[in-house]
Amino acid sequence: MLSFYNTLTRKKEAFKPLNDKEAGLYTCGPTVYNYAHLGNLRTYLFEDILKRVLINNGYAVKHVMNITDVGHLTSDADEGEDKIETSALKEKKTVWEIAEFYTKSFKQSLADLNISEPDIWCKATDHIQEQIAWIKKLEEKGFTYKISDGLYFDTSKFGGYEKLRGQKTSDMKEGARVEKNTEKKNPSDFALWKFSPQDSKRQMEWNSPWGKGFPGWHLECSVMAQKYLGETFDLHCGGIDHIPTHHTNEIAQAEAVTEKPFVNYWLHGEFLVIGKDVRMGKSEGNFITLNTVKEKNVNPLAYRYLVLGTHYRKKLNFTWEALQAAQNALDNLYALVANLGEPKIGCAEFEQKFSEAINDDLNTPKSLAIVWDLLKSDYPNEAKKASLLAFDKIIGLNLRQAKPIAVPKEIKELADKREQARQAKDFTTADKLRDEINKAGFKVEDTLAGPVIKK
Ligand code: AMP
Ligand code: ZN
């Protein structure tokens, strides 16, 4: 049985798609004004695992991801500057150049992490007319009002505004922050269309029935998700920061028009934190990009391995030591897998255990433990290899590319002798043999699944 924790119902539920054997998936994409950081990428990794698990369960997945290239202001509460325009000013480039540059860089990070691309990429700026048409429908139904800086959605008119986040605006920490705009009727009301400022010219702006301006950030996701996946679809994801505002607003503006449920399953990934439990973020100024990881000669897939080690609904504390340990574990895994020879029929017992773990709300830490248990087991090598390659369709660590290291016969014999000495608790002999191996330019590492020889 495949089950996920659904933020909307606050419980784990069996996955039942709208259409048999199909799954519509929308994942909120990046705002392309800067590099994606390891925190963002943690969320895209969890979504990649979700997609692979759906496919592995026989679903034809239609995956849509947006690129936010306009309208995301420095505060989610429709205040501040447009992130892309600010970045363009700072880097002395056009907004279009900024968006293109960081979109390309984002796609490179996905490739480095073995994250499969969506079936449909959609840019906010390519869907301006659809967004204007949506606002017109909201206007006809009486959900909008105009104030000096834009056209807003009246959240008090939409019953069930709080259903995803389970909290009233007045009970939220963010409440104080959103009340800044005194013209708004309710603190949680949000902009559907923002007017261009009178005193300066924006690079991105469009005419609309309400005046020259640009769409509010939340609108693009409701409009594009429904365009490509239908009025109601199966799964929608993002990081937990999207629950109280962005996804709450997406639901309101979608359901206000259609009067149908927007999404059946909402899945949210916890934060990557750093230092003293602080969220990694661009505005927090504590972010690390994948380029820095690569500059330090760490394989990006070591970051993937690290992320798999913690369940997506738990915080993960980033440290360079933890990443180094992940790199080490991954190298050991490659060395062990490479020596297993050709795959034959897999181990049904372990394959069963693995599916149960991963189908249970994407339990990746348990799945990784099963990988090591299988390596340690008495099953024949070719069976282990077959099952590990099957698991890799989900964990995505490129195990197939693991190449055996050429280890001379003498070194192998020394390592075998050392292992025998170790088993017999003769550590003096074991250490002496280890020294001999090291002198010859090799090293042995003891892993959960036995010793591994490396150059
Ligand atoms: P943004 O480009 O800011 O819209 O963020 C892209 C995705 O990254 C969203 O799904 C966010 O929820 C997610 N995100 C942002 N910061 C973190 C973090 N520190 N850990 C995990 N996910 C994050
Ligand atoms: Zn979104």
Side-chain angles (χ1 to χ4, degrees):
M1 187 176 80
L2 180 57
S3 60
F4 305 122
Y5 181 85
N6 188 351
T7 310
L8 192 61
T9 56
R10 291 166 211 21
K11 53 177 194 271
K12 216 186 315 184
E13 293 178 330
F15 176 63
K16 293 198 190 79
L18 281 170
N19 297 315
D20 199 26
K21 290 288 148 199
E22 284 176 22
L25 169 68
Y26 187 89
T27 55
C28 285
T31 305
V32 283
Y33 71 108
N34 203 332
Y35 295 103
H37 55 70
L38 296 183
N40 301 134
L41 294 169
R42 181 186 185 199
T43 291
Y44 298 111
L45 278 165
F46 126 66
E47 294 164 347
D48 184 54
I49 298 291
L50 167 66
K51 181 172 159 184
R52 287 167 180 260
V53 165
L54 287 164
I55 293 170
N56 207 51
N57 278 274
Y59 293 101
V61 177
K62 185 171 178 190
H63 177 200
V64 180
M65 193 186 315
N66 64 307
I67 297 281
T68 301
D69 54 356
V70 68
H72 195 170
L73 304 186
T74 38
S75 148
D76 284 359
D78 304 316
E79 301 284 342
E81 305 298 323
D82 186 316
K83 293 182 177 186
I84 311 247
E85 297 253 348
T86 312
S87 185
L89 215 63
K90 209 166 82 196
E91 297 193 26
K92 296 190 175 54
K93 287 184 186 157
T94 68
V95 282
W96 306 100
E97 284 166 344
I98 290 288
E100 196 189 326
F101 178 84
Y102 289 113
T103 301
K104 217 166 139 201
S105 147
F106 176 68
K107 289 186 182 175
Q108 183 59 50
S109 294
L110 296 190
D112 289 339
L113 290 169
N114 210 9
I115 295 175
S116 66
E117 289 201 17
D119 303 290
I120 296 173
W121 286 107
C122 43
K123 286 202 293 191
T125 53
D126 285 341
H127 297 77
I128 299 295
Q129 293 317 317
E130 285 97 329
Q131 295 184 73
I132 291 177
W134 199 269
I135 304 176
K136 280 192 192 155
K137 288 190 216 169
L138 286 167
E139 196 174 36
E140 278 162 25
K141 292 198 153 204
F143 284 98
T144 65
Y145 65 93
K146 193 171 165 177
I147 56 176
S148 57
D149 72 345
L151 194 78
Y152 278 71
F153 184 97
D154 186 344
T155 52
S156 68
K157 298 229 165 107
F158 178 71
Y161 179 71
E162 286 93 11
K163 65 182 168 190
L164 183 72
R165 68 192 195 192
Q167 259 184 315
K168 291 210 170 78
T169 307
S170 51
D171 296 339
M172 295 172 66
K173 279 204 301 266
E174 284 88 336
R177 201 188 63 194
V178 293
E179 270 169 280
K180 266 195 223 146
N181 187 334
T182 48
E183 286 181 69
K184 285 203 297 194
K185 290 188 183 170
N186 311 287
S188 52
D189 293 353
F190 56 92
L192 295 163
W193 189 259
K194 288 278 278 186
F195 301 138
S196 293
Q198 308 258 312
D199 50 350
S200 58
K201 175 138 179 56
R202 282 178 55 90
Q203 292 189 46
M204 282 178 174
E205 57 185 8
W206 294 266
N207 288 322
S208 83
W210 312 280
K212 196 173 269 181
F214 60 98
W217 167 48
H218 314 297
L219 188 61
E220 62 178 79
C221 288
S222 307
V223 171
M224 298 194 291
Q226 298 195 59
K227 171 170 175 176
Y228 296 107
L229 296 170
E231 289 183 341
T232 303
F233 59 92
D234 299 299
L235 304 126
H236 194 318
C237 319
I240 49 158
D241 53 321
H242 281 352
I243 301 171
T245 310
H246 183 54
H247 288 164
T248 286
N249 293 349
E250 276 191 42
I251 294 176
Q253 54 201 357
E255 297 187 359
V257 169
T258 64
E259 294 175 27
K260 290 177 191 161
F262 176 42
V263 173
N264 288 337
Y265 299 86
W266 286 91
L267 275 70
H268 291 99
E270 249 291 355
F271 285 146
L272 180 75
V273 298
I274 185 160
K276 286 208 171 71
D277 210 22
V278 181
R279 164 194 178 178
M280 186 179 284
K282 284 162 201 161
S283 36
E284 284 74 4
N286 61 2
F287 72 91
I288 298 167
T289 66
L290 205 58
N291 283 341
T292 309
V293 168
K294 290 200 288 186
E295 278 158 18
K296 289 185 188 268
N297 277 329
V298 178
N299 182 348
L301 292 180
Y303 181 61
R304 187 174 174 111
Y305 187 97
L306 177 70
V307 166
L308 292 174
T310 300
H311 191 260
Y312 76 95
R313 288 197 297 114
K314 293 218 169 85
K315 271 188 207 163
L316 168 58
N317 188 17
F318 180 84
T319 61
W320 286 106
E321 292 73 31
L323 185 62
Q324 195 52 58
Q327 167 87 67
N328 221 22
L330 182 62
D331 286 346
N332 289 339
L333 186 58
Y334 285 154
L336 288 163
V337 170
N339 287 323
L340 292 177
E342 287 306 308
K344 286 215 185 102
I345 296 165
C347 324
E349 178 200 347
F350 276 89
E351 290 182 10
Q352 173 73 18
K353 278 191 202 168
F354 184 91
S355 332
E356 276 170 18
I358 203 75
N359 285 350
D360 178 11
D361 196 27
L362 315 177
N363 194 336
T364 52
K366 197 164 171 190
S367 308
L368 271 192
I370 292 165
V371 163
W372 287 100
D373 285 347
L374 170 61
L375 277 164
K376 217 169 28 184
S377 74
D378 296 329
Y379 279 100
N381 282 350
E382 59 269 23
K384 288 182 183 175
K385 180 81 168 251
S387 293
L388 288 166
L389 292 182
F391 300 165
D392 200 39
K393 287 194 184 135
I394 290 169
I395 55 179
L397 294 170
N398 272 347
L399 296 185
R400 192 176 282 281
Q401 283 169 24
K403 295 209 173 49
I405 306 167
V407 180
K409 215 170 106 229
E410 318 78 81
I411 303 291
K412 244 198 128 292
E413 280 167 10
L414 286 174
D416 288 345
K417 275 195 203 146
R418 174 186 167 267
E419 187 55 15
Q420 282 161 18
R422 238 169 52 88
Q423 299 276 344
K425 302 211 179 329
D426 176 3
F427 296 114
T428 324
T429 310
D431 286 348
K432 242 177 65 199
L433 288 161
R434 180 198 282 270
D435 287 344
E436 269 186 61
I437 294 168
N438 291 352
K439 271 190 207 129
F442 290 85
K443 63 176 179 179
V444 254
E445 270 188 34
D446 300 310
T447 75
L448 291 172
V452 171
I453 309 172
K454 290 184 183 169
K455 270 213 169 112

